[in-house]
Amino acid sequence: MGVGPRRQRGPRGSPSPGRGHGVGKAAGTKARELSTRGQGARRDEGRSREGAVRMVRRSRRRKLQKVTGLCRLEEGLRVKRSCPSCGPEPGGEEKKRRGKPTSVQLFPPELVDHIISFLPVRDVVSLGQTCHYLHEVCDSEGVWRRMCHRLSPRLRKQGSGVRPWKRAAILNYTKGLYFQAFGGRHRCLSKTVAPVLAHGYRRFLPTKDHIFILDYTGTLFFLKNALVSSTLGQIQWKRACRYVLLCRGAKDFASDPRGDTVYRKYLYVLATQEQPEVVGTTHSQSCDCVEVYLQSNGQRVFKMTFHHSMSFKQIVLVGQETQRALLLLTEEGKIYSLVVNETQLDQPRSYTVQLALRKVSRCLPHLRVACMASNQSSTLYITDQGGVYFEVHTPGVYRDLFGTLQAFDPTDQQMPLALSLPAKVLFCALGYNHLGLVDEFGRIFMQGNNRYGQLGTGDKMDRGEPTQVHYPQRPVALWCGLNHSLVLSQGSDFSKELLGCGCGAGGRLPGWPKGSASFVKLHIKVPLCACSLCSTRECLYVLSSHDIEHHPAYRDLPASRVAGTPEPSLGAGAAQDPGGAVARACEQYLSQIHSCPTLQDRMEKMKEAVGRMPLMAAQKDFFWEALDMLQRAAGGVGQGPPAPDS
């Protein structure tokens, strides 16, 4: 076989030196040189392009420096935290060596106002707390006017008060109506759909199927088909609900005073309307009137107009449907009443009703009533001096409230009864057979039936006179239901919380199904700007709206009154002998705990004793939670939240 010459190779993997290898090496070197030259050319091209971009940026920066007068762009974008009132910033000498910063005061004021107006309300308030200059800028009416137009584009008129635009912007930023359905799985509040035209929320009233909201401009909105029932039987908010503008120029409105919304068939609206020109006059007059609407469809069925010389500011209802009494409070503090038969309102006929002065204004003409509250069978008046007067129309309610029938006169049900209180009363809440009062020092006084512990005194004994309930924080709003009470309070850090006492059946006290005889914190996350609340059989409502002109009028309690304040009672005779009654009650509980056969029975008896002790709500929560932890550590069965039935 013929075999051609073979190329000799050296070690494996490296070709032996030869002519052909030298030619290949030279070719490879040349190729590498060409590729290197190409990469260098591309690199030079990229560098030239980057240089051009830097030159363009540098030229733009110089133009910007010429226009704005900034020495350095990086330092110019930083706000100098110094103003004539706050003094120089620490470390200023070191910053001067690095570069002189430019103060925000060099910007035109119009530009600063325009930039700040795009910030949220929360950020504007926080920015105004940094220094004196920014506080003046963020607090100017021009900034708040732009923010108000951005929040409510349809609001063209200024609000009322000293700071109209700031007040209007904050009202529209904080407005909201929240609800929580009883019996549902969710513990958080849900926000309702807000009417776009509403200027803040001043009052609201839920009825059987709908909700009525009154804003700060006197416009009454009718939220139709607001609440619906889900497939699980829970009450939910219908997101696609419709709202109707029911009335303009409204001052106040009221419905059936009973807590059950099923009875609220009609809505009474106190409003001011312009009357047409009368023959012989050159201008129209504004008169107050009461319009009656059906809550089911918002149709007006009745209207009564008063003389233009009479001006009212509040309306409440009292009595049965056939003898419904309308109480009207004038601007001068006088109370007038008239009687209407609701069963005949839907009949198309006109008749005249008699407007008469109430007995509390006839017998006590020197009193000037500031506000009033009512239920089906009683009425409560608060004067401008903080005095409280009461009307009771049925013997059963009178016995629950005062514990006796000695002074009850069935022939004279309008006779006002004065309640004895140590300080001026600011606001109140009136339930069916119990009431709550809040004085100028932020103290809560409860009176009436205490069968379910709805007075929050720690026991279930009735109180025939106002009894102080020790409470850790100052209340914002108070609500008295059928057999439970709710308090909306504000802490030192401006956080809000909701506390309740009484019967917890049906979920009316979330987190406490067995109820409580003292005020306990409910498992609800309350909005920061909550101002009022309302509870029905199905839902708990919380209204959110912050008014900068409404400041809490609480005063600090004098030291003499603090030292002389009696302790709350633990037993029946604690009011006469607080120390002895408490000691005897503690001895009885110790003997009962000693006689308990099991650890679980001892824990339950200890929880009952803590519930009857004169402790604050936070302290009771602490002891109950600690007892539950000890019981679980010892192998107990209590795993739920503490809910003593005391």
Side-chain angles (χ1 to χ4, degrees):
M1 294 177 65
V3 180
R6 295 183 178 180
R7 182 177 302 173
Q8 297 180 356
R9 294 182 178 272
R12 186 178 180 181
S14 61
S16 61
R19 185 176 180 182
H21 176 71
V23 175
K25 181 178 180 181
T29 304
K30 186 175 182 180
R32 283 195 297 271
E33 291 177 356
L34 292 176
S35 63
T36 304
R37 291 177 183 176
Q39 293 177 0
R42 286 194 298 270
R43 190 180 299 109
D44 294 340
E45 182 180 357
R47 290 177 179 175
S48 61
R49 187 177 302 172
E50 293 177 359
V53 172
R54 285 198 298 269
M55 291 178 61
V56 172
R57 291 179 179 175
R58 191 180 298 110
S59 62
R60 292 180 180 176
R61 190 181 306 168
R62 290 175 179 175
K63 291 181 181 180
L64 183 62
Q65 291 176 355
K66 291 180 180 180
V67 174
T68 60
L70 301 178
C71 299
R72 293 177 59 188
L73 183 59
E74 294 81 1
E75 296 294 338
L77 294 178
R78 300 176 183 174
V79 178
K80 181 180 180 181
R81 296 185 302 168
S82 63
C83 62
S85 62
C86 301
E89 182 185 3
E93 298 296 333
E94 183 179 355
K95 289 187 176 181
K96 287 182 179 179
R97 291 194 295 267
R98 291 184 298 175
K100 184 179 180 181
T102 302
S103 174
V104 72
Q105 301 180 17
L106 297 179
F107 287 91
E110 296 81 5
L111 179 60
V112 178
D113 294 350
H114 184 73
I115 294 174
I116 293 178
S117 63
F118 285 95
L119 298 176
V121 176
R122 184 188 299 269
D123 295 342
V124 172
V125 175
S126 301
L127 184 62
Q129 298 176 355
T130 56
C131 71
H132 181 70
Y133 173 75
L134 290 178
H135 174 73
E136 292 181 352
V137 173
C138 295
D139 201 46
S140 63
E141 281 293 284
V143 172
W144 290 106
R145 185 185 70 244
R146 296 187 183 94
M147 296 176 62
C148 186
H149 288 165
R150 180 167 53 86
L151 293 172
S152 301
R154 301 185 182 183
L155 184 64
R156 297 302 178 185
K157 297 181 180 180
Q158 293 185 8
S160 60
V162 181
R163 305 293 306 278
W165 288 115
K166 181 178 181 179
R167 180 171 181 256
I170 294 178
L171 282 175
N172 288 277
Y173 178 76
T174 58
K175 68 179 180 182
L177 181 60
Y178 301 83
F179 81 100
Q180 176 172 333
F182 296 143
R185 299 179 181 178
H186 301 286
R187 295 293 184 183
C188 59
L189 291 172
S190 302
K191 189 175 182 180
T192 62
V193 179
V196 181
L197 300 177
H199 178 50
Y201 290 162
R202 190 172 65 180
R203 273 200 61 198
F204 77 102
L205 178 67
T207 58
K208 180 180 178 181
D209 305 311
H210 314 296
I211 294 179
F212 296 87
I213 297 179
L214 179 65
D215 68 351
Y216 280 83
T217 58
T219 306
L220 183 62
F221 294 92
F222 174 35
L223 274 66
K224 305 182 66 174
N225 300 324
L227 296 178
V228 295
S229 298
S230 64
T231 57
L232 299 178
Q234 302 174 1
I235 302 298
Q236 295 181 353
W237 180 264
K238 187 176 180 181
R239 293 291 179 179
C241 69
R242 298 178 293 112
Y243 67 91
V244 177
L245 196 153
L246 189 66
C247 177
R248 291 186 182 274
K251 295 182 177 180
D252 194 15
F253 60 97
S255 185
D256 193 293
R258 283 174 284 190
D260 196 347
T261 57
V262 177
Y263 300 106
R264 297 175 183 174
K265 181 179 179 181
Y266 294 100
L267 184 74
Y268 295 78
V269 181
L270 175 64
T272 300
Q273 294 184 355
E274 294 289 338
Q275 297 296 326
E277 298 182 4
V278 185
V279 179
T281 60
T282 58
H283 61 280
S284 60
Q285 295 179 346
S286 60
C287 300
D288 287 353
C289 63
V290 174
E291 298 180 344
V292 185
Y293 296 88
L294 281 172
Q295 73 87 25
S296 58
N297 53 14
Q299 179 184 0
R300 191 179 70 181
V301 297
F302 190 75
K303 180 179 180 180
M304 59 187 78
T305 305
F306 307 103
H307 194 264
H308 63 86
S309 61
M310 304 188 69
S311 179
F312 304 99
K313 65 178 182 179
Q314 188 182 2
I315 179 175
V316 296
L317 306 181
V318 65
Q320 300 290 337
E321 289 85 347
T322 56
Q323 293 290 326
R324 184 76 72 192
L326 278 68
L327 304 184
L328 299 169
L329 177 61
T330 64
E331 298 289 346
E332 293 78 16
K334 303 298 181 180
I335 298 177
Y336 289 85
S337 64
L338 57 93
V339 180
V340 174
N341 188 358
E342 284 189 354
T343 59
Q344 301 178 357
L345 288 179
D346 54 352
Q347 299 179 5
R349 66 187 184 92
S350 62
Y351 57 91
T352 303
V353 294
Q354 184 68 29
L355 187 66
L357 193 65
R358 198 72 173 179
K359 190 169 185 177
V360 64
S361 297
R362 286 190 285 108
C363 298
L364 304 172
H366 61 283
L367 293 181
R368 182 184 178 94
V369 179
C371 63
M372 54 184 177
S374 69
N375 59 18
Q376 187 180 5
S377 57
S378 57
T379 310
L380 190 145
Y381 308 105
I382 298 179
T383 65
D384 58 347
Q385 300 298 325
V388 180
Y389 292 86
F390 208 60
E391 289 183 10
V392 185
H393 305 155
T394 58
V397 175
Y398 191 95
R399 184 186 294 107
D400 288 337
L401 289 172
F402 297 98
T404 181
L405 288 176
Q406 282 185 340
F408 180 74
D409 187 3
T411 61
D412 190 7
Q413 300 178 356
Q414 295 186 10
M415 176 59 67
L417 304 173
L419 298 183
S420 177
L421 289 166
K424 177 180 178 181
V425 174
L426 299 183
F427 59 93
C428 66
L430 184 60
Y432 174 69
N433 52 10
H434 74 288
L435 60 94
L437 305 170
V438 179
D439 68 353
E440 57 183 340
F441 302 110
R443 299 178 298 180
I444 298 178
F445 294 86
M446 306 293 291
Q447 178 181 348
N449 187 283
N450 197 24
R451 180 180 179 184
Y452 298 92
Q454 60 263 39
L455 299 185
T457 55
D459 52 32
K460 295 183 180 180
M461 299 179 56
D462 298 344
R463 298 295 194 277
E465 59 183 10
T467 304
Q468 181 181 352
V469 178
H470 280 248
Y471 189 71
Q473 297 175 342
R474 295 182 176 182
V476 176
L478 181 64
W479 170 263
C480 290
L482 179 63
N483 48 25
H484 71 291
S485 303
L486 302 175
V487 175
L488 178 65
S489 64
Q490 176 176 307
S492 57
D493 56 347
F494 300 100
S495 61
K496 302 290 179 63
E497 63 180 11
L498 189 62
L499 290 92
C501 63
C503 180
R508 65 191 65 185
L509 296 181
W512 301 83
K514 294 184 180 180
S516 174
S518 58
F519 281 102
V520 291
K521 184 178 180 181
L522 304 183
H523 295 181
I524 292 178
K525 185 178 180 182
V526 185
L528 183 62
C529 298
C531 60
S532 64
L533 70 156
C534 173
S535 179
T536 63
R537 180 181 295 182
E538 298 86 7
C539 292
L540 171 66
Y541 298 90
V542 177
L543 183 69
S544 173
S545 184
H546 180 67
D547 189 1
I548 61 175
E549 294 186 354
H550 180 71
H551 301 286
Y554 294 138
R555 300 192 299 123
D556 294 332
L557 193 65
S560 58
R561 296 192 181 184
V562 174
T565 302
E567 293 294 331
S569 62
L570 185 64
Q576 292 78 10
D577 187 11
V582 172
R584 289 191 298 269
C586 291
E587 292 178 359
Q588 293 177 3
Y589 271 112
L590 282 176
S591 61
Q592 294 175 8
I593 292 174
H594 181 72
S595 61
C596 290
T598 62
L599 176 62
Q600 183 178 357
D601 294 339
R602 293 182 179 179
M603 288 291 183
E604 295 297 331
K605 184 59 66 174
M606 186 62 190
K607 291 178 183 178
E608 181 182 352
V610 170
R612 293 180 178 272
M613 286 183 178
L615 301 175
M616 297 181 179
Q619 295 172 341
K620 292 184 179 181
D621 292 342
F622 165 74
F623 283 116
W624 284 329
E625 187 66 26
L627 289 173
D628 275 351
M629 292 173 61
L630 294 175
Q631 187 174 0
R632 287 193 295 267
V637 295
Q639 298 293 334
D645 190 11
S646 59

